[in-house]
Amino acid sequence: MEKIRKGDEVVVIAGKDKGKRGIVLRYVKVGYVVVEGVNRVKKHTKPNPVKGVVGGLLEKDMPIHVSNIAIYNPLTKKADRVGFKWIDDGKKKVRIFKSGGEVLGA
């Protein structure tokens, strides 16, 4: 079970975009995620009329390592760590915020 999943709101805690918040769009490979509006670069593209691609500068979100992001806690309005807890007598495993113990996504 991953600590950070697709759809989670996260805060960048290190790097050039430190302090920015965004939604996790997808996992690229193990340990790397793409976050909306974070680590944005400009990519030069050539026009390709066969594929219908217009040339020019495109802005693209690049992957960021999961060690540089932390989950956003809406109650404390700060970055937080994630832990796990078994509920219903060990039948279901859920993610919790380490600071207060609240269940994520509940």
Side-chain angles (χ1 to χ4, degrees):
M1 182 179 266
E2 296 287 335
K3 292 187 174 189
I4 295 176
R5 297 182 188 164
K6 178 180 171 181
D8 286 344
E9 187 171 6
V10 295
V11 180
V12 179
I13 57 174
K16 67 175 186 174
D17 293 325
K18 183 176 180 177
K20 285 189 181 178
R21 283 190 353 214
I23 305 293
V24 176
L25 299 176
R26 61 188 159 90
Y27 263 83
V28 179
K29 57 183 178 179
V30 177
Y32 287 89
V33 294
V34 174
V35 180
E36 182 181 20
V38 173
N39 201 16
R40 189 163 274 194
V41 297
K42 290 187 177 178
K43 181 173 171 59
H44 298 263
T45 57
K46 287 178 76 173
N48 188 345
V50 176
K51 292 183 180 177
V53 176
V54 180
L57 282 173
L58 296 177
E59 289 206 352
K60 182 179 180 183
D61 293 329
M62 296 300 285
I64 187 169
H65 196 267
V66 292
S67 67
N68 296 328
I69 59 175
I71 198 133
Y72 178 73
N73 189 342
L75 297 175
T76 60
K77 295 183 176 39
K78 292 182 182 177
D80 207 344
R81 294 176 299 149
V82 177
F84 296 99
K85 184 167 82 171
W86 290 93
I87 59 171
D88 298 332
D89 297 325
K91 294 180 182 175
K92 188 175 181 185
K93 188 177 182 182
V94 294
R95 297 181 303 158
I96 61 166
F97 289 117
K98 284 283 203 170
S99 64
E102 303 92 19
V103 177
L104 267 81

